[in-house]
Amino acid sequence: MEMTIGKLAAAGQVGVETIRYYQRRGLLDTPRRSTGVRRYGDGDVRRLLFIRQAQTAGFTLEEIKELLDLDSGEDRDRARNLARNRIGALDARIAALQRAREALQRLVGECATDKSGPCPILASFDL
């Protein structure tokens, strides 16, 4: 299925300028004009969705470009190492978020409606 840049952007839930930015960065190809309009296909949608998911996982655009380049190659070690490093970073972020959640739970308990006095907001975040 062929589509315009606007439809590609909509499929990836990004703006047209984001598509152009990704093209300038080498993450997406810029197709030739066909009857004055650039046409994008399913492969472009797939690549755009991968970029968005990789960003959500915390990969930088440079790392995403490297992963996309590795997709057509045979350097499985590099791809595996990039993924392992990202898993480690995600694990650290998850641990930090869990600590923040626990602090907020302490705050809810310390600021219960049946207690009097000020709510110890700063103390609830002490680890």
Side-chain angles (χ1 to χ4, degrees), residues 2 24 26 28 31 34 53 55 63-64 67 77-79 85 87 92 94 98 103 105-106 108 110 125 127:
E2 289 191 343
R24 287 191 301 273
L28 288 173
S34 172
Q53 289 173 336
Q55 284 180 308
E63 290 169 329
I64 293 169
L67 284 169
D77 288 338
R78 180 65 183 144
N85 290 342
I87 289 169
I94 289 168
Q98 286 174 332
Q105 285 177 323
R106 284 192 299 276
V108 167
E110 290 296 324
F125 280 85
L127 297 175

PDB file of all heavy atoms in Angstrom, residues 2 24 26 28 31 34 53 55 63-64 67 77-79 85 87 92 94 98 103 105-106 108 110 125 127:
ATOM      1  N   GLU A   2       0.664   2.136  -0.910  1.00  0.00           N
ATOM      2  CA  GLU A   2       1.438   3.366  -0.966  1.00  0.00           C
ATOM      3  C   GLU A   2       0.683   4.488  -0.281  1.00  0.00           C
ATOM      4  O   GLU A   2      -0.542   4.539  -0.322  1.00  0.00           O
ATOM      5  CB  GLU A   2       1.733   3.741  -2.418  1.00  0.00           C
ATOM      6  CG  GLU A   2       2.740   2.815  -3.057  1.00  0.00           C
ATOM      7  CD  GLU A   2       3.222   3.364  -4.391  1.00  0.00           C
ATOM      8  OE1 GLU A   2       2.570   4.254  -4.950  1.00  0.00           O
ATOM      9  OE2 GLU A   2       4.269   2.892  -4.842  1.00  0.00           O
ATOM     10  N   ARG A  24      16.472  13.103   7.540  1.00  0.00           N
ATOM     11  CA  ARG A  24      17.751  13.829   7.598  1.00  0.00           C
ATOM     12  C   ARG A  24      18.775  13.075   8.438  1.00  0.00           C
ATOM     13  O   ARG A  24      19.968  13.124   8.152  1.00  0.00           O
ATOM     14  CB  ARG A  24      17.548  15.239   8.166  1.00  0.00           C
ATOM     15  CG  ARG A  24      16.864  16.192   7.204  1.00  0.00           C
ATOM     16  CD  ARG A  24      16.921  17.630   7.688  1.00  0.00           C
ATOM     17  NE  ARG A  24      16.314  17.857   8.985  1.00  0.00           N
ATOM     18  CZ  ARG A  24      15.034  18.119   9.214  1.00  0.00           C
ATOM     19  NH1 ARG A  24      14.188  18.206   8.196  1.00  0.00           N
ATOM     20  NH2 ARG A  24      14.587  18.323  10.437  1.00  0.00           N
ATOM     21  N   GLY A  26      18.977   9.894   8.652  1.00  0.00           N
ATOM     22  CA  GLY A  26      19.284   8.620   8.018  1.00  0.00           C
ATOM     23  C   GLY A  26      18.527   7.438   8.587  1.00  0.00           C
ATOM     24  O   GLY A  26      18.880   6.285   8.335  1.00  0.00           O
ATOM     25  N   LEU A  28      15.113   7.007   8.181  1.00  0.00           N
ATOM     26  CA  LEU A  28      14.113   6.655   7.175  1.00  0.00           C
ATOM     27  C   LEU A  28      14.626   7.101   5.812  1.00  0.00           C
ATOM     28  O   LEU A  28      15.255   8.153   5.696  1.00  0.00           O
ATOM     29  CB  LEU A  28      12.779   7.369   7.448  1.00  0.00           C
ATOM     30  CG  LEU A  28      11.956   6.901   8.636  1.00  0.00           C
ATOM     31  CD1 LEU A  28      10.760   7.832   8.852  1.00  0.00           C
ATOM     32  CD2 LEU A  28      11.471   5.475   8.441  1.00  0.00           C
ATOM     33  N   PRO A  31      11.924   8.557  -0.336  1.00  0.00           N
ATOM     34  CA  PRO A  31      11.644   7.955  -1.646  1.00  0.00           C
ATOM     35  C   PRO A  31      11.658   8.999  -2.759  1.00  0.00           C
ATOM     36  O   PRO A  31      11.499  10.186  -2.521  1.00  0.00           O
ATOM     37  CB  PRO A  31      10.249   7.361  -1.462  1.00  0.00           C
ATOM     38  CG  PRO A  31       9.637   8.107  -0.344  1.00  0.00           C
ATOM     39  CD  PRO A  31      10.760   8.578   0.536  1.00  0.00           C
ATOM     40  N   SER A  34       7.025  10.335  -7.261  1.00  0.00           N
ATOM     41  CA  SER A  34       6.256   9.659  -8.308  1.00  0.00           C
ATOM     42  C   SER A  34       5.067  10.566  -8.611  1.00  0.00           C
ATOM     43  O   SER A  34       4.240  10.819  -7.729  1.00  0.00           O
ATOM     44  CB  SER A  34       5.781   8.302  -7.805  1.00  0.00           C
ATOM     45  OG  SER A  34       4.905   7.719  -8.718  1.00  0.00           O
ATOM     46  N   GLN A  53       9.198   2.560  18.923  1.00  0.00           N
ATOM     47  CA  GLN A  53       9.301   1.585  20.015  1.00  0.00           C
ATOM     48  C   GLN A  53      10.697   1.598  20.627  1.00  0.00           C
ATOM     49  O   GLN A  53      10.850   1.485  21.847  1.00  0.00           O
ATOM     50  CB  GLN A  53       8.943   0.186  19.518  1.00  0.00           C
ATOM     51  CG  GLN A  53       7.473   0.035  19.219  1.00  0.00           C
ATOM     52  CD  GLN A  53       7.133  -1.293  18.577  1.00  0.00           C
ATOM     53  OE1 GLN A  53       7.978  -1.929  17.960  1.00  0.00           O
ATOM     54  NE2 GLN A  53       5.883  -1.711  18.694  1.00  0.00           N
ATOM     55  N   GLN A  55      12.683   4.140  20.755  1.00  0.00           N
ATOM     56  CA  GLN A  55      12.772   5.352  21.566  1.00  0.00           C
ATOM     57  C   GLN A  55      12.099   5.144  22.912  1.00  0.00           C
ATOM     58  O   GLN A  55      12.628   5.561  23.944  1.00  0.00           O
ATOM     59  CB  GLN A  55      12.117   6.536  20.849  1.00  0.00           C
ATOM     60  CG  GLN A  55      12.947   7.115  19.740  1.00  0.00           C
ATOM     61  CD  GLN A  55      12.244   8.278  19.072  1.00  0.00           C
ATOM     62  OE1 GLN A  55      11.091   8.167  18.654  1.00  0.00           O
ATOM     63  NE2 GLN A  55      12.946   9.389  18.968  1.00  0.00           N
ATOM     64  N   GLU A  63      21.791   5.123  18.433  1.00  0.00           N
ATOM     65  CA  GLU A  63      21.704   3.679  18.664  1.00  0.00           C
ATOM     66  C   GLU A  63      20.649   3.044  17.757  1.00  0.00           C
ATOM     67  O   GLU A  63      20.847   1.941  17.238  1.00  0.00           O
ATOM     68  CB  GLU A  63      21.377   3.394  20.129  1.00  0.00           C
ATOM     69  CG  GLU A  63      22.506   3.723  21.076  1.00  0.00           C
ATOM     70  CD  GLU A  63      22.085   3.693  22.541  1.00  0.00           C
ATOM     71  OE1 GLU A  63      20.912   3.997  22.852  1.00  0.00           O
ATOM     72  OE2 GLU A  63      22.944   3.371  23.376  1.00  0.00           O
ATOM     73  N   ILE A  64      19.549   3.741  17.552  1.00  0.00           N
ATOM     74  CA  ILE A  64      18.495   3.227  16.678  1.00  0.00           C
ATOM     75  C   ILE A  64      19.020   3.102  15.252  1.00  0.00           C
ATOM     76  O   ILE A  64      18.776   2.104  14.578  1.00  0.00           O
ATOM     77  CB  ILE A  64      17.242   4.122  16.740  1.00  0.00           C
ATOM     78  CG1 ILE A  64      16.610   4.028  18.139  1.00  0.00           C
ATOM     79  CG2 ILE A  64      16.231   3.730  15.663  1.00  0.00           C
ATOM     80  CD1 ILE A  64      15.530   5.043  18.413  1.00  0.00           C
ATOM     81  N   LEU A  67      21.129   0.080  15.106  1.00  0.00           N
ATOM     82  CA  LEU A  67      20.304  -1.133  15.080  1.00  0.00           C
ATOM     83  C   LEU A  67      19.680  -1.342  13.701  1.00  0.00           C
ATOM     84  O   LEU A  67      19.663  -2.470  13.193  1.00  0.00           O
ATOM     85  CB  LEU A  67      19.195  -1.043  16.136  1.00  0.00           C
ATOM     86  CG  LEU A  67      19.628  -1.260  17.579  1.00  0.00           C
ATOM     87  CD1 LEU A  67      18.506  -0.881  18.527  1.00  0.00           C
ATOM     88  CD2 LEU A  67      20.067  -2.697  17.809  1.00  0.00           C
ATOM     89  N   ASP A  77      26.444 -10.070  17.397  1.00  0.00           N
ATOM     90  CA  ASP A  77      27.069  -9.729  18.676  1.00  0.00           C
ATOM     91  C   ASP A  77      26.798  -8.276  19.045  1.00  0.00           C
ATOM     92  O   ASP A  77      26.460  -7.962  20.188  1.00  0.00           O
ATOM     93  CB  ASP A  77      28.585  -9.975  18.633  1.00  0.00           C
ATOM     94  CG  ASP A  77      28.946 -11.451  18.634  1.00  0.00           C
ATOM     95  OD1 ASP A  77      28.116 -12.272  19.078  1.00  0.00           O
ATOM     96  OD2 ASP A  77      30.059 -11.785  18.188  1.00  0.00           O
ATOM     97  N   ARG A  78      26.953  -7.370  18.084  1.00  0.00           N
ATOM     98  CA  ARG A  78      26.739  -5.948  18.356  1.00  0.00           C
ATOM     99  C   ARG A  78      25.280  -5.687  18.701  1.00  0.00           C
ATOM    100  O   ARG A  78      24.973  -4.949  19.642  1.00  0.00           O
ATOM    101  CB  ARG A  78      27.175  -5.097  17.153  1.00  0.00           C
ATOM    102  CG  ARG A  78      26.980  -3.620  17.363  1.00  0.00           C
ATOM    103  CD  ARG A  78      27.871  -3.092  18.482  1.00  0.00           C
ATOM    104  NE  ARG A  78      27.600  -1.689  18.706  1.00  0.00           N
ATOM    105  CZ  ARG A  78      27.624  -1.100  19.887  1.00  0.00           C
ATOM    106  NH1 ARG A  78      27.956  -1.779  20.966  1.00  0.00           N
ATOM    107  NH2 ARG A  78      27.361   0.176  20.013  1.00  0.00           N
ATOM    108  N   ALA A  79      24.363  -6.271  17.945  1.00  0.00           N
ATOM    109  CA  ALA A  79      22.934  -6.096  18.222  1.00  0.00           C
ATOM    110  C   ALA A  79      22.601  -6.622  19.622  1.00  0.00           C
ATOM    111  O   ALA A  79      21.881  -5.980  20.382  1.00  0.00           O
ATOM    112  CB  ALA A  79      22.093  -6.802  17.166  1.00  0.00           C
ATOM    113  N   ASN A  85      22.806  -3.830  26.928  1.00  0.00           N
ATOM    114  CA  ASN A  85      23.062  -2.552  27.593  1.00  0.00           C
ATOM    115  C   ASN A  85      21.766  -1.816  27.883  1.00  0.00           C
ATOM    116  O   ASN A  85      21.600  -1.217  28.948  1.00  0.00           O
ATOM    117  CB  ASN A  85      23.985  -1.678  26.737  1.00  0.00           C
ATOM    118  CG  ASN A  85      25.392  -2.219  26.686  1.00  0.00           C
ATOM    119  OD1 ASN A  85      25.806  -3.032  27.507  1.00  0.00           O
ATOM    120  ND2 ASN A  85      26.149  -1.781  25.693  1.00  0.00           N
ATOM    121  N   ILE A  87      18.820  -3.194  28.296  1.00  0.00           N
ATOM    122  CA  ILE A  87      18.134  -3.922  29.372  1.00  0.00           C
ATOM    123  C   ILE A  87      18.681  -3.481  30.721  1.00  0.00           C
ATOM    124  O   ILE A  87      17.921  -3.234  31.665  1.00  0.00           O
ATOM    125  CB  ILE A  87      18.263  -5.453  29.188  1.00  0.00           C
ATOM    126  CG1 ILE A  87      17.424  -5.908  27.999  1.00  0.00           C
ATOM    127  CG2 ILE A  87      17.836  -6.196  30.456  1.00  0.00           C
ATOM    128  CD1 ILE A  87      17.682  -7.346  27.575  1.00  0.00           C
ATOM    129  N   ALA A  92      17.739  -0.457  35.719  1.00  0.00           N
ATOM    130  CA  ALA A  92      18.075   0.620  36.658  1.00  0.00           C
ATOM    131  C   ALA A  92      16.934   1.619  36.756  1.00  0.00           C
ATOM    132  O   ALA A  92      16.581   2.081  37.854  1.00  0.00           O
ATOM    133  CB  ALA A  92      19.365   1.312  36.224  1.00  0.00           C
ATOM    134  N   ILE A  94      13.738   1.018  36.115  1.00  0.00           N
ATOM    135  CA  ILE A  94      12.629   0.346  36.794  1.00  0.00           C
ATOM    136  C   ILE A  94      12.850   0.362  38.298  1.00  0.00           C
ATOM    137  O   ILE A  94      11.933   0.631  39.078  1.00  0.00           O
ATOM    138  CB  ILE A  94      12.441  -1.090  36.256  1.00  0.00           C
ATOM    139  CG1 ILE A  94      11.884  -1.049  34.835  1.00  0.00           C
ATOM    140  CG2 ILE A  94      11.544  -1.920  37.174  1.00  0.00           C
ATOM    141  CD1 ILE A  94      11.936  -2.379  34.102  1.00  0.00           C
ATOM    142  N   GLN A  98      10.474   2.068  41.024  1.00  0.00           N
ATOM    143  CA  GLN A  98       9.906   1.314  42.135  1.00  0.00           C
ATOM    144  C   GLN A  98      10.192   2.012  43.468  1.00  0.00           C
ATOM    145  O   GLN A  98       9.323   2.071  44.337  1.00  0.00           O
ATOM    146  CB  GLN A  98      10.449  -0.118  42.149  1.00  0.00           C
ATOM    147  CG  GLN A  98       9.841  -0.973  41.054  1.00  0.00           C
ATOM    148  CD  GLN A  98      10.464  -2.355  40.958  1.00  0.00           C
ATOM    149  OE1 GLN A  98      11.622  -2.560  41.295  1.00  0.00           O
ATOM    150  NE2 GLN A  98       9.683  -3.306  40.466  1.00  0.00           N
ATOM    151  N   ALA A 103       8.102   5.370  47.904  1.00  0.00           N
ATOM    152  CA  ALA A 103       8.097   6.638  48.622  1.00  0.00           C
ATOM    153  C   ALA A 103       6.717   7.273  48.586  1.00  0.00           C
ATOM    154  O   ALA A 103       6.236   7.803  49.602  1.00  0.00           O
ATOM    155  CB  ALA A 103       9.139   7.586  48.027  1.00  0.00           C
ATOM    156  N   GLN A 105       3.925   5.656  48.269  1.00  0.00           N
ATOM    157  CA  GLN A 105       3.057   4.856  49.129  1.00  0.00           C
ATOM    158  C   GLN A 105       3.260   5.243  50.600  1.00  0.00           C
ATOM    159  O   GLN A 105       2.295   5.316  51.358  1.00  0.00           O
ATOM    160  CB  GLN A 105       3.319   3.368  48.921  1.00  0.00           C
ATOM    161  CG  GLN A 105       2.743   2.854  47.617  1.00  0.00           C
ATOM    162  CD  GLN A 105       3.053   1.394  47.369  1.00  0.00           C
ATOM    163  OE1 GLN A 105       4.123   0.908  47.691  1.00  0.00           O
ATOM    164  NE2 GLN A 105       2.102   0.698  46.753  1.00  0.00           N
ATOM    165  N   ARG A 106       4.523   5.488  50.996  1.00  0.00           N
ATOM    166  CA  ARG A 106       4.776   5.959  52.366  1.00  0.00           C
ATOM    167  C   ARG A 106       4.092   7.294  52.598  1.00  0.00           C
ATOM    168  O   ARG A 106       3.509   7.531  53.649  1.00  0.00           O
ATOM    169  CB  ARG A 106       6.280   6.075  52.625  1.00  0.00           C
ATOM    170  CG  ARG A 106       6.980   4.755  52.863  1.00  0.00           C
ATOM    171  CD  ARG A 106       8.398   4.951  53.402  1.00  0.00           C
ATOM    172  NE  ARG A 106       9.269   5.702  52.498  1.00  0.00           N
ATOM    173  CZ  ARG A 106       9.948   5.174  51.477  1.00  0.00           C
ATOM    174  NH1 ARG A 106       9.843   3.875  51.227  1.00  0.00           N
ATOM    175  NH2 ARG A 106      10.713   5.923  50.728  1.00  0.00           N
ATOM    176  N   VAL A 108       1.393   8.456  51.160  1.00  0.00           N
ATOM    177  CA  VAL A 108      -0.041   8.225  51.311  1.00  0.00           C
ATOM    178  C   VAL A 108      -0.342   7.748  52.726  1.00  0.00           C
ATOM    179  O   VAL A 108      -1.286   8.220  53.368  1.00  0.00           O
ATOM    180  CB  VAL A 108      -0.547   7.205  50.260  1.00  0.00           C
ATOM    181  CG1 VAL A 108      -1.952   6.706  50.586  1.00  0.00           C
ATOM    182  CG2 VAL A 108      -0.513   7.816  48.866  1.00  0.00           C
ATOM    183  N   GLU A 110       1.548   8.184  55.474  1.00  0.00           N
ATOM    184  CA  GLU A 110       1.872   9.235  56.458  1.00  0.00           C
ATOM    185  C   GLU A 110       0.864  10.370  56.440  1.00  0.00           C
ATOM    186  O   GLU A 110       0.689  11.056  57.433  1.00  0.00           O
ATOM    187  CB  GLU A 110       3.270   9.788  56.192  1.00  0.00           C
ATOM    188  CG  GLU A 110       4.384   8.813  56.506  1.00  0.00           C
ATOM    189  CD  GLU A 110       4.452   8.448  57.980  1.00  0.00           C
ATOM    190  OE1 GLU A 110       4.188   9.328  58.835  1.00  0.00           O
ATOM    191  OE2 GLU A 110       4.750   7.286  58.282  1.00  0.00           O
ATOM    192  N   PHE A 125      10.208  10.540  51.453  1.00  0.00           N
ATOM    193  CA  PHE A 125      11.102  10.174  50.362  1.00  0.00           C
ATOM    194  C   PHE A 125      12.490   9.799  50.849  1.00  0.00           C
ATOM    195  O   PHE A 125      13.366   9.504  50.052  1.00  0.00           O
ATOM    196  CB  PHE A 125      11.188  11.320  49.326  1.00  0.00           C
ATOM    197  CG  PHE A 125      10.001  11.327  48.400  1.00  0.00           C
ATOM    198  CD1 PHE A 125       8.827  11.967  48.759  1.00  0.00           C
ATOM    199  CD2 PHE A 125      10.042  10.667  47.190  1.00  0.00           C
ATOM    200  CE1 PHE A 125       7.733  11.968  47.905  1.00  0.00           C
ATOM    201  CE2 PHE A 125       8.963  10.663  46.333  1.00  0.00           C
ATOM    202  CZ  PHE A 125       7.790  11.311  46.707  1.00  0.00           C
ATOM    203  N   LEU A 127      15.272   7.401  52.034  1.00  0.00           N
ATOM    204  CA  LEU A 127      15.436   5.970  51.788  1.00  0.00           C
ATOM    205  C   LEU A 127      16.227   5.322  52.882  1.00  0.00           C
ATOM    206  O   LEU A 127      17.016   5.767  53.546  1.00  0.00           O
ATOM    207  CB  LEU A 127      16.118   5.742  50.437  1.00  0.00           C
ATOM    208  CG  LEU A 127      15.303   6.237  49.246  1.00  0.00           C
ATOM    209  CD1 LEU A 127      16.113   6.069  47.954  1.00  0.00           C
ATOM    210  CD2 LEU A 127      14.017   5.475  49.134  1.00  0.00           C
TER     211      LEU A 127
END
